[in-house]
Amino acid sequence: MSRGDLYRSEKVALEDFLQNFLETGEDGQAKTKYVAQLQEIANRKRESLVVSLDDLEEYTTEPELVANIEMNTHQYLSLIADAADDVMPAPTDLELSEDVFDIMMEQRMRNQESLETQAAEEGIARHPHNTIPASLKRRYEVLIIPRTHMERMKMRAISSPQIGGLVTFRGIVTQVTDVRPLMTVATYLNDEDGKEYFQEVNGKSFNPIVTMPEATPGANAKMDLQMQIRGSKFVKYQEARIQENPDEVPHGSTPRTMTVQLKGPLARVIKAGDAVTISGIFLPQPLTGKRAVLKSSLLTSTYLHATHVVQSKMSYQEMALNDDQREAIEALTEEGDIYTRLASSIAPEIYGHEDVKKALLLAMVGGTTRALPDGMKLRGDIHACLMGDPGVAKSQLLRYVAYVSPRAVYTSGKGSSGVGLTAAVIKDPTTNEMCLEGGALVMADKGICCIDEFDKMEESDRTAIHEVMEQQTVSIAKAGITTTLNTRTTVLAAANPAFGRYDIRRSPAENINLPAALLSRFDLLWLILDRPSMEADLSLAQHVLSVHREGRAPVRETAVQPLSADMLRAYIAAAKQYSPFVPSALSEYVASVYAELRAEEAAAEVPHTYTTARTLLSILRLSQALARLRFSDEVEQSDVDEALRLMKMSKASLYDEGETDRAPDPVSQIFSRIRVHAERTRRSAYSWADLMDLLGTSFKPDQIKQCLQDYASINVWQLEGGTEDNPGIRLTVS
């Protein structure tokens, strides 16, 4: 069978597939999937025909059709479009109004008919450029979804055998250009006789037709053609640079990048920082026009013509939870003490650091961003800094947070410059104009930016983070470009003390060695000391040996089982749908707490921290994050108390000189919370419901009941009211 006969038979098979393929809908009824798409295209409600090769493989009887499409995708895109044109239904929307394109096409079709009649009467052949291209008549683009079991290749494994074929690979978007119009069909007008001539454009540049020999035999005159921009066809065009995933880069090699061209409906679907899986046609970059003469070389660049893009990690706002995930989340909330279980699920292979993991969990959840009527914004992102001795797993905690978060950038302080963190001015290879390329903080917009070795950064580079952390923008005034970029990101930093290890003989200010303007921007500053302790060191060694032996976190009978990263991500996505507020009844309580913190700092001989109005906002953000974890739209007093406990723990660690066991048992913690709350509110009695509101988010009911019974036995309070399982208490000394 010749190539032409093969294409004709495959075109018939594609027409049959588009007309008759059935898909079962949500209501259980079988529907013609592609007829519905074509109808929407005819009614101008859709701009793309998306063909799944899984559907074609399931339906077609042509044995080689799917394989031929994967091997010669560029050619078969036109064949699928021709088949779709032949089976395109008539519009059913009677309210469609004529636009400029309809009027021009109607006029062109009348001219084509008259030219065909004239050519038939005179017995001459029509000029090849005088026929309307099929692509000019279309209002849609054909996109192909590869088979699900198609091999996903590594970027550096894509080479010459894949030229012209369909390939799929993963990568990270590092640069995205602006969307510009790309000419696909150029239209020319002959001023003498009013005839239109057409030229299809396949690349980014072409040689315009200025003069053209007449098609009439014996005529030597040249036609002067004028390009008609209004009559030409343009599509949306965008270029992106995709860098291969870090886990696919061989040792000692630098990551490779590939240029990806996005046209039509695929424009604007990705942005810098996205982790994506891209399918497309691997093609050489043709040089046409003057560039072919000036840049003729034996070397040819390549690119990918994208046909399908899938986000490998969707943002929390874009995640759609399925029914199984919703049921699992409901089961988790019914178990109680979800706060502790979620925190223990962060890097379960790392021993201890319970409160540090709780702080990182709240940073991942975040508070609520408030936009005031006058344009001022109060950020909801929670910044945290882990400072401690070497070998206490600071970097591993940051890496796990970057792994769990859908949109995260991990960078190291010594290898990052101010330009690399904010934005750089580069020359756009498409237009040769100066443009901005976002750095790590811009790429982490609406995500998390993890900066390791924060103390190793140059001071001039570190100052670039000041505006990012509070205003959440980056102001740029470079190379004639003056603009402001959004950096709505959570900053998690890890640093070592000034002398490598924390020196208890020196003051905290000397050990921390970070400017006060930067420290005040962190909601939580945590110092992790590595102090020798026989019991703690023995437990740590057993934990580490178990991880090395079994390859996973040890399973303890008494400890809660950690959740998977997918489940943790789904729970945080569900929690972020809530926007809790602080009720007026809590305002006085929070204000008195803030005043106490300021008074304690003023009374201290050597202040260890900087308590400012930012500290008050930090308390509110942490409280909102705790309320989100409860799936509540209102902050409760227990949330404020837990936020204060974390802040005090983070600040107490700055001047903790001898105590290593800073996490007392749950019974002691519950007693301390009740005592502090009673002193502040001057209450003398608590019902079981009051105790659950105060402590229920952090402790299990069995732990609360055990505390009530233990302290009632030594006459600290008396059990009264309620039931035996759910008692209330009355304090002995109010």
Side-chain angles (χ1 to χ4, degrees):
M1 183 183 293
S2 66
R3 176 64 66 180
D5 293 337
L6 176 63
Y7 280 167
R8 281 189 288 272
S9 66
E10 289 181 334
K11 181 181 176 183
V12 173
L14 288 170
E15 291 176 0
D16 178 45
F17 164 70
L18 293 175
Q19 286 181 305
N20 300 315
F21 178 79
L22 299 177
E23 181 185 47
T24 304
E26 296 179 355
D27 55 357
Q29 299 294 324
K31 300 179 181 178
T32 50
K33 176 179 177 180
Y34 295 99
V35 170
Q37 287 193 33
L38 293 173
Q39 190 63 65
E40 290 181 1
I41 293 172
N43 293 335
R44 302 179 192 175
K45 296 179 180 179
R46 188 183 182 96
E47 296 181 352
S48 61
L49 174 63
V50 183
V51 178
S52 172
L53 294 187
D54 282 333
D55 296 342
L56 183 59
E57 185 180 36
E58 176 188 342
Y59 181 84
T60 185
T61 57
E62 295 284 339
E64 302 294 332
L65 179 56
V66 176
N68 290 342
I69 292 177
E70 291 179 343
M71 291 175 58
N72 191 10
T73 314
H74 198 269
Q75 181 70 33
Y76 277 86
L77 281 177
S78 301
L79 193 64
I80 295 173
D82 291 339
D85 289 340
D86 292 344
V87 298
M88 184 71 68
T92 57
D93 189 354
L94 303 179
E95 298 181 357
L96 285 178
S97 58
E98 284 191 342
D99 55 10
V100 176
F101 180 81
D102 292 322
I103 298 172
M104 294 184 69
M105 287 306 302
E106 184 179 350
Q107 181 65 33
R108 283 170 176 164
M109 297 306 295
R110 285 201 297 264
N111 292 339
Q112 290 287 308
E113 293 175 1
S114 62
L115 289 175
E116 289 177 359
T117 304
Q118 180 182 353
E121 292 175 352
E122 298 178 0
I124 59 174
R126 290 185 57 190
H127 198 286
H129 286 283
N130 198 226
T131 304
I132 301 176
S135 59
L136 184 60
K137 304 175 185 177
R138 297 187 187 118
R139 289 178 176 263
Y140 64 95
E141 300 287 332
V142 177
L143 303 178
I144 291 180
I145 301 177
R147 291 184 288 181
T148 51
H149 59 269
M150 180 181 178
E151 179 187 3
R152 188 174 63 194
M153 305 184 68
K154 294 182 179 180
M155 184 185 293
R156 61 181 59 230
I158 301 173
S159 57
S160 56
Q162 285 74 39
I163 290 289
L166 191 66
V167 296
T168 302
F169 66 92
R170 293 187 303 133
I172 299 173
V173 184
T174 58
Q175 181 185 348
V176 178
T177 64
D178 294 334
V179 177
R180 295 185 175 90
L182 175 70
M183 180 180 288
T184 56
V185 179
T187 303
Y188 303 90
L189 183 66
N190 184 5
D191 291 337
E192 295 182 3
D193 56 9
K195 292 181 181 179
E196 280 188 322
Y197 295 84
F198 307 97
Q199 178 188 14
E200 292 195 75
V201 181
N202 294 319
K204 291 192 296 183
S205 59
F206 69 105
N207 270 339
I209 303 174
V210 180
T211 60
M212 183 182 296
E214 274 285 4
T216 306
N220 296 322
K222 301 284 186 177
M223 293 184 297
D224 292 328
L225 302 181
Q226 304 295 328
M227 182 182 293
Q228 301 296 312
I229 298 296
R230 189 177 182 85
S232 303
K233 181 180 180 180
F234 295 84
V235 296
K236 290 181 288 186
Y237 175 81
Q238 188 177 35
E239 273 192 12
R241 298 286 290 177
I242 311 297
Q243 179 178 292
E244 65 180 329
N245 273 3
D247 57 347
E248 296 178 353
V249 180
H251 294 295
S253 302
T254 56
R256 292 189 179 180
T257 60
M258 181 181 291
T259 300
V260 175
Q261 295 184 1
L262 303 154
K263 299 180 181 179
L266 292 181
R268 295 192 179 95
V269 299
I270 61 176
K271 51 185 178 296
D274 286 349
V276 295
T277 300
I278 291 188
S279 303
I281 311 166
F282 185 57
L283 295 169
Q285 180 72 59
L287 290 178
T288 56
K290 295 182 180 179
R291 294 178 62 192
V293 179
L294 298 176
K295 292 189 176 183
S296 57
S297 170
L298 297 177
L299 301 177
T300 302
S301 59
T302 56
Y303 71 98
L304 189 85
H305 175 195
T307 63
H308 185 56
V309 178
V310 177
Q311 295 281 351
S312 299
K313 282 186 174 182
M314 293 184 292
S315 66
Y316 287 121
Q317 291 79 10
E318 296 171 346
M319 286 181 65
L321 303 180
N322 55 39
D323 294 337
D324 294 338
Q325 289 175 326
R326 290 192 180 92
E327 291 177 2
I329 290 173
E330 290 178 2
L332 286 174
T333 54
E334 291 175 358
E335 291 178 6
D337 198 19
I338 185 62
Y339 175 43
T340 302
R341 185 169 183 184
L342 289 171
S344 63
S345 302
I346 296 177
E349 293 81 8
I350 297 175
Y351 177 76
H353 300 324
E354 290 85 1
D355 285 335
V356 178
K357 293 179 180 180
K358 288 180 179 179
L360 294 177
L361 172 65
L362 297 184
M364 295 168 67
V365 175
T368 305
T369 301
R370 302 292 186 191
L372 304 183
D374 59 354
M376 181 181 293
K377 290 185 179 180
L378 300 177
R379 67 174 169 91
D381 297 300
I382 298 172
H383 305 313
C385 179
L386 307 180
M387 178 171 286
D389 296 334
V392 293
K394 302 186 300 296
S395 300
Q396 292 295 338
L397 287 170
L398 260 62
R399 283 192 177 275
Y400 192 86
V401 171
Y403 163 70
V404 171
S405 301
R407 188 176 180 84
V409 176
Y410 183 92
T411 182
S412 178
K414 196 62 178 176
S416 303
S417 64
V419 170
L421 288 173
T422 55
V425 177
I426 62 171
K427 182 174 287 188
D428 190 335
T430 305
T431 61
N432 289 329
E433 297 177 355
M434 303 303 290
C435 66
L436 287 176
E437 181 176 8
L441 291 166
V442 178
M443 291 171 64
D445 185 35
K446 291 190 175 180
I448 295 179
C449 182
C450 301
I451 306 176
D452 202 1
E453 306 295 345
F454 193 60
D455 56 305
K456 310 295 191 303
M457 291 181 65
E458 298 291 339
E459 186 61 34
S460 58
D461 298 330
R462 201 157 48 209
T463 54
I465 307 178
H466 287 217
E467 180 191 0
V468 170
M469 294 183 67
E470 198 60 39
Q471 309 302 327
Q472 298 201 302
T473 57
V474 171
S475 300
I476 301 295
K478 299 177 182 178
I481 300 174
T482 304
T483 185
T484 300
L485 303 177
N486 287 323
T487 54
R488 295 157 294 186
T489 177
T490 296
V491 176
L492 296 182
N496 293 115
F499 308 101
R501 289 179 64 95
Y502 192 88
D503 188 352
I504 61 175
R505 294 168 297 181
R506 299 176 183 267
S507 66
E510 293 176 311
N511 277 287
I512 296 172
N513 196 28
L514 289 176
L518 188 60
L519 287 178
S520 67
R521 286 170 162 81
F522 283 108
D523 299 285
L524 290 170
L525 174 62
W526 214 288
L527 185 65
I528 309 174
L529 300 183
D530 182 18
R531 298 186 180 276
S533 169
M534 177 64 72
E535 183 179 351
D537 292 343
L538 184 60
S539 300
L540 173 62
Q542 291 174 346
H543 182 93
V544 172
L545 291 172
S546 176
V547 170
H548 275 264
R549 184 175 61 253
E550 301 178 8
R552 57 181 174 82
V555 179
R556 303 178 186 273
E557 295 181 359
T558 57
V560 294
Q561 296 303 315
L563 304 174
S564 64
D566 291 336
M567 193 65 228
L568 184 61
R569 199 178 294 123
Y571 193 96
I572 295 175
K576 278 182 168 286
Q577 297 176 3
Y578 293 84
S579 299
F581 65 95
V582 179
S584 56
L586 275 181
S587 301
E588 185 177 348
Y589 179 67
V590 176
S592 63
V593 167
Y594 172 67
E596 287 181 16
L597 293 176
R598 294 277 290 181
E600 290 175 4
E601 180 185 356
E605 295 181 3
V606 181
H608 298 289
T609 57
Y610 305 96
T611 304
T612 64
R614 286 175 175 161
T615 309
L616 176 61
L617 294 175
S618 299
I619 296 173
L620 297 179
R621 280 190 284 269
L622 293 169
S623 303
Q624 289 173 340
L626 286 161
R628 278 181 160 182
L629 288 175
R630 293 186 295 102
F631 295 159
S632 173
D633 286 321
E634 184 175 332
V635 175
E636 296 180 355
Q637 189 163 331
S638 59
D639 301 325
V640 179
D641 290 338
E642 173 62 15
L644 287 170
R645 188 188 72 82
L646 283 176
M647 293 196 69
K648 286 192 175 182
M649 292 298 296
S650 68
K651 293 185 177 182
S653 62
L654 297 178
Y655 49 84
D656 184 4
E657 299 181 358
E659 298 180 7
T660 57
D661 186 12
R662 299 199 301 269
D665 62 283
V667 173
S668 300
Q669 292 184 41
I670 292 171
F671 171 72
S672 177
R673 293 273 288 273
I674 295 175
R675 180 176 57 82
V676 172
H677 186 269
E679 290 176 354
R680 286 187 176 139
T681 60
R682 301 185 181 278
R683 290 184 63 171
S684 60
Y686 291 85
S687 66
W688 178 257
D690 296 335
L691 293 171
M692 289 302 296
D693 289 341
L694 179 64
L695 306 164
T697 58
S698 304
F699 304 99
K700 295 180 178 179
D702 293 341
Q703 296 171 338
I704 299 174
K705 182 180 176 183
Q706 183 67 37
C707 175
L708 300 184
Q709 293 173 348
D710 289 352
Y711 281 91
S713 64
I714 58 176
N715 203 30
V716 174
W717 52 53
Q718 286 83 36
L719 300 179
E720 71 171 27
T723 63
E724 183 178 353
D725 293 332
N726 302 325
I729 60 172
R730 176 170 294 278
L731 304 185
T732 303
V733 180
S734 61

